[in-house]
Amino acid sequence: MPSAYHADLDKNPANYSSLTPVGFLRRSAMIYPQRVAIIDEQSFTYAIFYERVRRMASSLSAQGIGIGSTVAMLCFNSHELLEAHYFVPMLGAVLNALNTRQDAHSLRYILEHCECDMLIYDSHFDALVQVVLQGLPKCPRLVAVEREAGTSGLAGTQSYEALIDAGDAVFEWGEPADEWDPISLNYTSGTTGHPKGVVYHHRGAWLAAMSNAMAFEMTRDTVYLWTLPMFHCNGWCYTWAVTAVGGTHVCLRKVDAADIFDKIGRHQVTHMCGAPVVLNMLLHEFDKNGWRLSTPARFALGGAAPSGTVIRKGRELGFEVRHLYGLTESYGPSTVCVWQDEWDELDEEALAAKVARQGVGLFAIDEVAVLDRSTGVSVPADGLTLGELALRGNTLMKGYLKNPQETQRAFADGWLRTGDLAVMHPDRYVEVKDRAKDIIISGGENISSKEIEDVLYRHPDVFEVAVIAIADDKWGEVPCAFITLKDGGGAPSPASFIAYCREHMAGFKVPRKVVLGELPKTATGKIRKNILREQARAMRDESDR
């Protein structure tokens, strides 16, 4: 029965608007017009930042980019890629930030799958883009970010800066008709074959940005260094979060310890994010060179949980390390290991046990649960019973582009199943114990063991192959391939298989080690990867002696 609270109390322009993170820039440009918004090869105030994106939106609109269009960006962490997080959604179009580490085959698949209308790329990638475009059924319009005038050699390419110069500085853009409208498209690393296109919406991006800003305790005094790739889940939505608080974006095109140390000191950086490989590299290089931060900088760490040693070493050098957990399907961070005051008194071993946990849900995540994989019922919060980590909340994807079957499977029981096996501790902090799928996380990148196996199976001398993760001091994990050769074949060396992989996949996916021999099997003929992992650990222990 209708309630009096619903009668004649409707949404109207005065009391309702669709949430969109693009509005963060309009607000900060109004409040902080002369505050430095971006530091890159040149610096921009918030007023100029807002003017530039409006000009670009105006130019792209004149070329027909609008609702339903997909604009891909192949750029390093630069002001251009940051600007795209605003001028693309201003038009109701969808931003697809491309992984700069991907190979041409993967990039071609993505551009074809998303029916890309425009590709904006750094002229550094001229040669790669030429290869990517070969055989692409629909060639997108091309826009080059030229580091030097006339550096792009591709015919018909427009200049990024020329488009900005030609645009309207007061271009009127509108909010999305529905906050559920798509804002961006991020492809997974292809852990089950072809990469899946994860679709974000304006509402989720707005909430993720606000949630992350709160969790990371950001303010207008925040100076954020882009050690995290902006193509990773739209920079975990910090592309919008930093702007929301009126902070400063410090762009970083290449992860280099000396450059990072210089930028932290010169710009008084307060916040950073990244994968374990980045943090480990910084701690090693800072310690080796005797570098210490004059004021602490917070480092939000994704991927594998930090050890107590990393926490301690980080504090010595000036980093306050916090652990985040998430996946592409959750706009990046979905849980955070919230620091408790009493942890300050723990010894290194006890502290490591605490910070190894993935923690509790961020503000826009409603529920974090560990579910029995058979019954779907929550497991006891005893820190021992394994189940699958599952999420519910407002910062979960719309679904997978053109893949209704996988979308339905992902949300089949009203939860997003992560595929990670975890336990729930009595204090309601979750801890991931193992991966349900054989995903290798190397330097923050997800690598499919199946993809590597499929490539190696195409080698004429391979009879059987199994790929597992092995520990690596720099990257956290790297792929290791165990191969059984065909009878009567040649005598290829492990190095030849590594070279073969380099020809057929992105460099970061190539196995670092290849072991030749018979593969252990179960009674039913399944390869026992648990035995291979034990063998790999034994080989590592032997080499360390």
Side-chain angles (χ1 to χ4, degrees):
M1 181 176 180
S3 161
Y5 290 102
H6 292 88
D8 302 318
L9 301 176
D10 299 322
K11 295 176 183 175
N12 66 76
N15 66 15
Y16 177 83
S17 64
S18 296
L19 297 180
T20 175
V22 181
F24 295 146
L25 178 54
R26 176 172 53 196
R27 180 179 187 275
S28 288
M30 178 187 70
I31 301 172
Y32 309 117
Q34 299 310 311
R35 182 186 294 273
V36 175
I38 303 172
I39 298 173
D40 196 359
E41 292 173 334
Q42 52 189 314
S43 296
F44 301 117
T45 64
Y46 267 105
I48 294 174
F49 183 12
Y50 189 37
E51 177 184 324
R52 284 175 61 84
V53 300
R54 293 172 82 181
R55 285 182 178 274
M56 181 59 93
S58 169
S59 288
L60 298 193
S61 177
Q63 297 192 22
I65 298 298
I67 296 173
S69 302
T70 302
V71 177
M73 291 283 295
L74 183 64
C75 291
F76 297 114
N77 279 1
S78 61
H79 68 266
E80 294 91 356
L81 182 50
L82 181 61
E83 289 166 347
H85 281 78
Y86 297 89
F87 65 70
V88 173
M90 273 183 174
L91 300 172
V94 178
L95 173 64
N96 176 211
L98 297 167
N99 186 336
T100 56
R101 299 176 66 188
Q102 283 285 17
D103 59 284
H105 174 77
S106 298
L107 291 173
R108 186 183 302 115
Y109 169 81
I110 289 171
L111 295 182
E112 181 176 355
H113 184 258
C114 73
E115 302 177 40
C116 177
D117 297 283
M118 177 174 283
L119 172 62
I120 303 175
Y121 68 96
D122 190 304
S123 60
H124 172 88
F125 296 109
D126 256 357
L128 175 61
V129 170
Q130 284 183 313
V131 176
V132 170
L133 296 179
Q134 294 172 7
L136 196 63
K138 172 190 172 185
C139 186
R141 278 165 283 182
L142 302 176
V143 176
V145 175
E146 298 176 310
R147 294 300 155 208
E148 297 178 10
T151 54
S152 178
L154 299 181
T157 301
Q158 303 176 82
S159 163
Y160 184 93
E161 288 299 325
L163 285 173
I164 287 182
D165 291 342
D168 182 358
V170 292
F171 175 72
E172 291 294 331
W173 59 275
E175 66 187 36
D178 188 334
E179 60 189 17
W180 182 250
D181 287 347
I183 187 171
S184 64
L185 175 66
N186 292 285
Y187 279 83
T188 64
S189 299
T191 54
T192 54
H194 279 310
K196 296 192 287 288
V198 176
V199 182
Y200 294 173
H201 47 77
H202 284 255
R203 170 183 170 81
W206 192 98
L207 289 167
M210 294 297 285
S211 178
N212 289 347
M214 292 169 67
F216 214 6
E217 299 177 5
M218 289 178 153
T219 71
R220 66 178 184 177
D221 296 321
T222 291
V223 179
Y224 183 91
L225 179 62
W226 274 103
T227 44
L228 175 76
M230 292 185 197
F231 62 70
H232 269 313
C233 310
N234 300 112
W236 294 354
C237 295
Y238 283 108
T239 45
W240 298 303
V242 176
T243 301
V245 298
T248 299
H249 300 265
V250 180
C251 295
L252 185 73
R253 296 164 193 268
K254 181 181 178 181
V255 175
D256 175 82
D259 188 30
I260 289 172
F261 180 69
D262 174 68
K263 282 183 166 62
I264 291 175
R266 187 149 44 98
H267 305 303
Q268 296 298 293
V269 168
T270 60
H271 292 76
M272 308 160 61
C273 296
V277 62
V278 175
L279 179 60
N280 291 339
M281 181 272 289
L282 292 180
L283 296 185
H284 174 74
E285 291 296 321
F286 278 37
D287 192 44
K288 182 178 73 172
N289 291 286
W291 299 336
R292 299 291 187 273
L293 302 184
S294 57
T295 57
R298 291 179 177 172
F299 194 107
L301 181 70
S307 66
T309 302
V310 167
I311 295 288
R312 177 182 52 78
K313 178 58 69 176
R315 283 182 168 181
E316 290 177 2
L317 299 178
F319 292 102
E320 295 180 0
V321 181
R322 293 293 181 269
H323 181 44
L324 298 171
Y325 165 86
L327 44 158
T328 306
E329 289 83 347
S330 66
Y331 294 67
S334 56
T335 73
V336 57
C337 190
V338 176
W339 193 274
Q340 300 291 340
D341 291 341
E342 57 268 24
W343 295 0
D344 291 330
E345 308 304 321
L346 297 176
D347 60 33
E348 188 171 299
E349 183 177 350
L351 178 61
K354 295 291 187 184
V355 299
R357 305 180 304 173
Q358 281 58 49
V360 297
L362 266 69
F363 298 96
I365 292 292
D366 296 330
E367 292 184 74
V368 177
V370 178
L371 306 178
D372 184 284
R373 302 195 80 199
S374 300
T375 66
V377 176
S378 293
V379 303
D382 56 11
L384 298 172
T385 307
L386 275 176
E388 184 173 4
L389 181 59
L391 304 170
R392 276 180 178 158
N394 293 287
T395 51
L396 300 180
M397 64 173 180
K398 282 173 69 80
Y400 297 114
L401 182 67
K402 301 178 183 176
N403 201 336
Q405 184 177 359
E406 285 297 319
T407 299
Q408 185 177 15
R409 181 179 300 158
F411 296 125
D413 57 356
W415 292 92
L416 175 68
R417 298 294 193 104
T418 66
D420 285 323
L421 301 179
V423 298
M424 179 69 76
H425 286 274
D427 60 1
R428 307 304 299 178
Y429 277 52
V430 295
E431 180 180 2
V432 172
K433 290 292 188 179
D434 202 355
R435 297 183 182 93
K437 299 177 182 179
D438 294 317
I439 297 171
I440 302 164
I441 302 180
S442 182
E445 298 284 353
N446 288 347
I447 302 173
S448 167
S449 61
K450 182 179 182 298
E451 179 184 354
I452 302 173
E453 289 165 359
D454 289 344
V455 169
L456 285 169
Y457 268 121
R458 295 199 292 268
H459 192 287
D461 293 315
V462 171
F463 176 66
E464 288 181 324
V465 59
V467 174
I468 64 167
I470 58 173
D472 183 84
D473 292 337
K474 180 178 181 181
W475 300 105
E477 294 178 344
V478 292
C480 174
F482 289 79
I483 297 174
T484 301
L485 300 176
K486 291 180 180 178
D487 291 335
S493 66
S496 69
F497 288 112
I498 293 174
Y500 177 82
C501 288
R502 288 195 183 282
E503 294 176 2
H504 294 87
M505 65 181 67
F508 70 91
K509 298 179 180 180
V510 174
R512 297 299 195 272
K513 186 177 182 63
V514 171
V515 180
L516 304 180
E518 292 294 322
L519 303 184
K521 308 261 185 37
T522 65
T524 57
K526 292 182 179 180
I527 296 172
R528 300 188 63 183
K529 286 192 172 183
N530 60 320
I531 300 297
L532 296 179
R533 293 187 183 99
E534 292 174 5
Q535 292 178 9
R537 281 193 291 268
M539 287 187 292
R540 179 180 172 87
D541 292 342
E542 183 67 28
S543 65
D544 288 342
R545 292 193 183 104

